[in-house]
Amino acid sequence: MICPYCAKEMEKGFIDQDRIFAPLTWYPANRESGFFKSTKRDIKLTTATESATVYYCEECRKLIIDQDELPN
């Protein structure tokens, strides 16, 4: 993937969870807090057995996740 900030090649990597059955999830910053709060905009980044593909630009120090490449 090409970095949209500097146009250099990005390094492909992964985000993983540190505890089994605990998926990493993106959620809007203005979401209500609480353990079981969820919105339609929440995006699960990992599953118990699959990692998210992440591209890293060393030059810009940016991470990019393509939502189309996330595990189901």
Side-chain angles (χ1 to χ4, degrees):
M1 174 177 274
I2 301 300
C3 177
Y5 296 93
C6 71
K8 293 184 179 179
E9 187 70 28
M10 299 184 78
E11 180 180 358
K12 184 177 181 177
F14 300 94
I15 289 180
D16 220 345
Q17 70 271 31
D18 61 352
R19 200 179 77 217
I20 195 158
F21 303 119
L24 295 173
T25 303
W26 175 91
Y27 55 88
N30 61 355
R31 183 186 85 162
E32 291 182 44
S33 62
F35 189 70
F36 291 107
K37 302 292 183 190
S38 180
T39 69
K40 291 181 181 177
R41 294 203 50 225
D42 289 0
I43 301 170
K44 185 169 49 171
L45 300 175
T46 63
T47 67
T49 59
E50 295 180 277
S51 301
T53 300
V54 181
Y55 296 90
Y56 173 67
C57 179
E58 191 169 346
E59 182 75 21
C60 298
R61 298 172 43 93
K62 304 284 187 200
L63 297 167
I64 294 181
I65 299 171
D66 185 341
Q67 190 172 357
D68 292 335
E69 294 184 21
L70 292 176
N72 293 325

